[in-house]
Coordinates of all heavy atoms in Angstrom, one line a residue:
I944 N 0.8 -1.2 0.0 CA 0.0 0.0 0.0 C 0.8 1.3 0.0 O 0.6 2.2 -0.8 CB -1.0 0.0 1.2 CG1 -2.1 -1.0 1.0 CG2 -1.6 1.4 1.4 CD1 -3.0 -1.2 2.1
F945 N 1.8 1.3 0.9 CA 2.6 2.6 1.1 C 3.8 2.7 0.2 O 4.4 3.8 0.1 CB 3.0 2.7 2.6 CG 1.9 3.0 3.5 CD1 1.3 2.0 4.2 CD2 1.4 4.3 3.6 CE1 0.2 2.3 5.1 CE2 0.3 4.6 4.5 CZ -0.3 3.6 5.2
I946 N 4.2 1.6 -0.5 CA 5.4 1.7 -1.3 C 5.2 1.3 -2.7 O 5.3 2.1 -3.6 CB 6.6 0.9 -0.6 CG1 6.9 1.5 0.8 CG2 7.8 1.0 -1.5 CD1 7.8 0.7 1.7
A947 N 4.8 0.0 -2.9 CA 4.7 -0.5 -4.3 C 3.6 0.2 -5.1 O 3.8 0.4 -6.3 CB 4.4 -2.0 -4.2
S948 N 2.5 0.5 -4.5 CA 1.3 1.0 -5.2 C 1.2 2.6 -5.1 O 0.2 3.1 -5.5 CB 0.0 0.4 -4.7 OG 0.0 -1.0 -4.8
S949 N 2.3 3.2 -4.6 CA 2.1 4.6 -4.2 C 2.0 5.6 -5.4 O 1.5 6.7 -5.2 CB 3.3 5.0 -3.3 OG 4.5 4.9 -4.1
R950 N 2.4 5.1 -6.6 CA 2.2 6.0 -7.8 C 0.7 6.0 -8.2 O 0.3 7.1 -8.7 CB 3.1 5.5 -8.9 CG 4.5 5.7 -8.7 CD 5.3 5.4 -10.0 NE 6.7 5.8 -9.8 CZ 7.7 5.6 -10.7 NH1 7.3 5.1 -11.9 NH2 8.9 5.9 -10.5
T951 N 0.0 4.9 -8.1 CA -1.3 4.9 -8.5 C -2.4 5.0 -7.4 O -3.5 5.5 -7.7 CB -1.6 3.6 -9.3 OG1 -1.2 2.5 -8.4 CG2 -0.8 3.5 -10.6
L952 N -2.0 4.6 -6.2 CA -3.0 4.6 -5.1 C -2.4 5.5 -4.0 O -1.4 5.2 -3.4 CB -3.2 3.2 -4.5 CG -4.3 3.1 -3.4 CD1 -5.6 3.6 -3.9 CD2 -4.4 1.7 -2.9
K953 N -3.0 6.7 -3.8 CA -2.4 7.7 -2.9 C -2.9 7.3 -1.4 O -3.9 6.7 -1.2 CB -2.8 9.1 -3.2 CG -2.4 9.5 -4.6 CD -0.9 9.4 -4.8 CE -0.4 9.7 -6.2 NZ 1.0 9.5 -6.4
T954 N -2.0 7.7 -0.5 CA -2.4 7.4 0.9 C -2.1 8.7 1.8 O -1.3 9.5 1.5 CB -1.5 6.3 1.5 OG1 -0.1 6.6 1.4 CG2 -1.7 5.0 0.7
A955 N -2.8 8.7 2.9 CA -2.6 9.7 3.9 C -2.9 9.1 5.3 O -3.7 8.2 5.4 CB -3.6 10.9 3.7
I956 N -2.2 9.6 6.3 CA -2.4 9.2 7.7 C -3.0 10.4 8.3 O -2.3 11.5 8.4 CB -1.1 8.7 8.4 CG1 -0.6 7.4 7.7 CG2 -1.3 8.5 9.8 CD1 0.8 7.0 8.2
V957 N -4.2 10.3 8.8 CA -5.0 11.4 9.4 C -5.2 11.1 10.8 O -6.0 10.2 11.2 CB -6.3 11.7 8.7 CG1 -7.0 12.9 9.3 CG2 -6.1 11.9 7.2
T958 N -4.4 11.7 11.7 CA -4.3 11.2 13.1 C -4.5 12.4 14.1 O -4.2 13.5 13.8 CB -2.9 10.5 13.4 OG1 -2.8 10.2 14.8 CG2 -1.8 11.4 13.0
G959 N -5.0 12.0 15.2 CA -5.1 13.0 16.3 C -3.8 13.2 17.1 O -3.8 14.0 18.0
R960 N -2.8 12.5 16.7 CA -1.5 12.7 17.4 C -0.9 14.1 17.1 O -1.1 14.6 16.0 CB -0.4 11.7 16.8 CG -0.6 10.3 17.3 CD 0.6 9.4 16.9 NE 0.5 8.0 17.4 CZ 1.5 7.2 17.6 NH1 2.7 7.7 17.4 NH2 1.3 6.0 18.0
P961 N -0.1 14.6 18.0 CA 0.7 15.8 17.7 C 1.7 15.5 16.6 O 2.1 14.3 16.4 CB 1.4 16.2 19.0 CG 1.3 15.0 19.9 CD 0.1 14.2 19.4
K962 N 2.2 16.5 15.9 CA 3.0 16.3 14.7 C 4.2 15.4 15.0 O 4.5 14.5 14.2 CB 3.5 17.7 14.2 CG 4.2 17.6 12.9 CD 3.2 17.4 11.8 CE 3.9 17.6 10.4 NZ 2.9 17.4 9.3
E963 N 5.0 15.7 16.0 CA 6.2 14.9 16.2 C 5.9 13.4 16.4 O 6.6 12.6 15.9 CB 6.9 15.5 17.5 CG 8.3 14.8 17.7 CD 9.0 15.4 19.0 OE1 8.9 16.7 19.1 OE2 9.5 14.6 19.7
E964 N 4.8 13.1 17.2 CA 4.5 11.7 17.4 C 3.9 11.1 16.2 O 4.0 9.9 16.0 CB 3.6 11.6 18.7 CG 4.3 12.0 19.9 CD 3.4 12.1 21.1 OE1 2.2 11.6 21.1 OE2 3.8 12.8 22.1
A965 N 3.2 11.9 15.4 CA 2.7 11.3 14.1 C 3.8 10.9 13.2 O 3.7 9.8 12.6 CB 1.8 12.4 13.4
I966 N 4.8 11.7 13.1 CA 6.0 11.4 12.3 C 6.7 10.2 12.8 O 7.1 9.3 12.1 CB 6.9 12.6 12.1 CG1 6.2 13.7 11.3 CG2 8.2 12.2 11.5 CD1 6.9 15.0 11.3
E967 N 6.9 10.2 14.2 CA 7.5 9.0 14.8 C 6.8 7.7 14.5 O 7.4 6.7 14.2 CB 7.6 9.2 16.3 CG 8.7 10.1 16.9 CD 8.6 10.2 18.4 OE1 7.7 9.7 19.0 OE2 9.6 10.8 18.9
G968 N 5.5 7.8 14.6 CA 4.7 6.6 14.3 C 4.8 6.1 12.9 O 4.9 4.9 12.6
T969 N 4.8 7.1 11.9 CA 4.9 6.8 10.5 C 6.3 6.1 10.2 O 6.3 5.1 9.5 CB 4.8 8.1 9.7 OG1 3.5 8.7 10.0 CG2 4.8 7.8 8.2
Q970 N 7.3 6.7 10.8 CA 8.6 6.1 10.6 C 8.7 4.7 11.3 O 9.4 3.8 10.7 CB 9.7 7.0 11.2 CG 9.8 8.3 10.4 CD 10.7 9.3 11.1 OE1 11.0 9.3 12.3 NE2 11.2 10.3 10.4
Y971 N 8.1 4.6 12.4 CA 8.2 3.3 13.1 C 7.6 2.1 12.3 O 8.2 1.1 12.3 CB 7.4 3.4 14.5 CG 7.2 2.1 15.2 CD1 8.3 1.4 15.7 CD2 6.0 1.5 15.2 CE1 8.2 0.2 16.3 CE2 5.8 0.2 15.8 CZ 6.9 -0.4 16.4 OH 6.7 -1.6 17.0
I972 N 6.5 2.4 11.7 CA 5.9 1.3 10.9 C 6.5 1.1 9.5 O 6.2 0.1 8.8 CB 4.3 1.4 10.8 CG1 3.9 2.7 10.0 CG2 3.7 1.4 12.1 CD1 2.5 2.8 9.7
G973 N 7.3 2.1 9.1 CA 7.9 2.0 7.8 C 7.1 2.5 6.7 O 7.4 2.2 5.5
A974 N 6.1 3.3 6.9 CA 5.3 3.9 5.8 C 6.0 5.0 5.1 O 6.6 5.9 5.8 CB 3.9 4.4 6.4
R975 N 6.0 5.0 3.8 CA 6.7 6.0 3.0 C 5.7 6.6 2.0 O 4.6 6.0 1.7 CB 7.9 5.5 2.3 CG 9.0 4.9 3.3 CD 10.4 5.0 2.8 NE 10.5 4.3 1.5 CZ 10.9 3.0 1.4 NH1 11.2 2.3 2.6 NH2 11.1 2.4 0.3
N976 N 6.1 7.6 1.3 CA 5.3 8.2 0.2 C 3.9 8.5 0.6 O 2.9 8.4 -0.1 CB 5.3 7.2 -1.0 CG 6.7 6.7 -1.4 OD1 7.6 7.5 -1.4 ND2 6.8 5.5 -1.6
T977 N 3.7 9.0 1.9 CA 2.4 9.2 2.4 C 2.3 10.6 3.0 O 3.3 11.1 3.5 CB 1.9 8.1 3.4 OG1 0.5 8.3 3.7 CG2 2.7 8.3 4.7
L978 N 1.1 11.2 2.9 CA 0.9 12.5 3.5 C 0.5 12.3 5.0 O -0.4 11.5 5.3 CB -0.3 13.2 2.8 CG -0.8 14.5 3.4 CD1 0.3 15.6 3.2 CD2 -2.0 15.0 2.7
V979 N 1.1 13.0 5.9 CA 0.8 12.8 7.3 C 0.1 14.1 7.8 O 0.7 15.2 7.7 CB 2.1 12.6 8.2 CG1 1.7 12.5 9.6 CG2 2.8 11.3 7.7
I980 N -1.1 14.0 8.2 CA -1.9 15.1 8.7 C -2.1 14.9 10.2 O -2.9 14.0 10.6 CB -3.2 15.3 8.0 CG1 -2.9 15.5 6.5 CG2 -4.0 16.4 8.6 CD1 -4.2 15.7 5.6
S981 N -1.4 15.6 11.0 CA -1.5 15.5 12.5 C -2.5 16.5 13.1 O -3.1 17.3 12.3 CB -0.1 15.7 13.1 OG 0.2 17.1 13.1
D982 N -2.7 16.4 14.4 CA -3.6 17.4 15.0 C -3.1 18.8 14.9 O -3.9 19.8 15.0 CB -3.8 17.0 16.5 CG -5.2 17.3 16.9 OD1 -6.2 17.0 16.1 OD2 -5.4 17.7 18.1
N983 N -1.8 19.0 14.7 CA -1.2 20.3 14.6 C -1.4 20.9 13.2 O -1.2 22.1 13.0 CB 0.3 20.3 14.9 CG 0.6 19.9 16.3 OD1 1.2 18.9 16.6 ND2 0.2 20.7 17.2
D984 N -1.8 20.0 12.3 CA -2.0 20.5 10.9 C -3.4 20.9 10.5 O -3.7 21.3 9.4 CB -1.6 19.4 9.9 CG -0.1 19.0 10.1 OD1 0.7 19.9 10.2 OD2 0.2 17.8 10.2
V985 N -4.3 20.8 11.5 CA -5.7 21.2 11.2 C -6.2 22.2 12.3 O -5.6 22.3 13.4 CB -6.6 20.0 11.3 CG1 -6.3 19.0 10.1 CG2 -6.6 19.2 12.6
E986 N -7.1 23.0 11.9 CA -7.7 23.9 12.9 C -8.7 23.2 13.7 O -8.9 23.5 14.9 CB -8.4 25.1 12.1 CG -8.9 26.2 13.0 CD -9.5 27.3 12.3 OE1 -9.4 27.4 11.0 OE2 -10.1 28.2 12.9
F987 N -9.4 22.2 13.1 CA -10.5 21.5 13.9 C -10.2 20.0 13.8 O -10.0 19.4 12.7 CB -11.8 21.7 13.2 CG -12.3 23.2 13.2 CD1 -12.2 23.9 12.1 CD2 -12.6 23.8 14.4 CE1 -12.6 25.3 12.1 CE2 -13.0 25.1 14.4 CZ -13.0 25.9 13.3
S988 N -10.1 19.3 15.0 CA -9.8 17.9 15.1 C -11.0 17.1 14.7 O -12.1 17.6 14.6 CB -9.4 17.6 16.5 OG -8.4 18.4 17.0
K989 N -10.7 15.8 14.4 CA -11.8 14.8 14.2 C -12.7 14.9 15.5 O -12.2 15.0 16.6 CB -11.3 13.4 14.0 CG -10.5 13.2 12.7 CD -10.0 11.8 12.5 CE -8.8 11.5 13.3 NZ -8.2 10.2 13.0
P990 N -14.0 14.9 15.3 CA -14.8 14.4 14.2 C -15.0 15.4 13.0 O -15.7 15.0 12.1 CB -16.2 14.1 14.8 CG -16.3 15.1 16.0 CD -14.9 15.2 16.5
N991 N -14.4 16.6 13.1 CA -14.5 17.5 12.0 C -13.7 16.8 10.8 O -12.7 16.2 11.0 CB -13.8 18.8 12.4 CG -14.0 19.9 11.3 OD1 -13.4 19.9 10.3 ND2 -14.9 20.8 11.6

C-alpha cells in the first residue's frame, strides 16, 4: 500500500497525534510516500 502502489494509489495518515508523534509513528511502521496530517496540521480535530 505505502510503497509498491504509491504511484497509482495515494495514501494519507490522518491522526489526532501531535506532529512529532505522528511522524515518529509513521517512521516506526515504515510507511513512506504518504501524507501525514496530524492534530497540529488542522484547525479542527476529528470528528471534523
Side-chain angles (χ1 to χ4, degrees):
I944 288 178
F945 287 100
I946 299 168
S948 302
S949 61
R950 286 189 177 181
T951 54
L952 184 60
K953 301 305 179 185
T954 62
I956 295 173
V957 183
T958 174
R960 287 191 179 203
K962 189 72 171 182
E963 185 178 318
E964 290 170 20
I966 292 170
E967 280 181 355
T969 304
Q970 291 171 342
Y971 169 71
I972 62 173
R975 300 206 301 268
N976 310 317
T977 192
L978 175 67
V979 179
I980 298 177
S981 73
D982 216 39
N983 295 115
D984 299 315
V985 294
E986 186 177 353
F987 301 105
S988 307
K989 292 182 283 187
N991 190 285

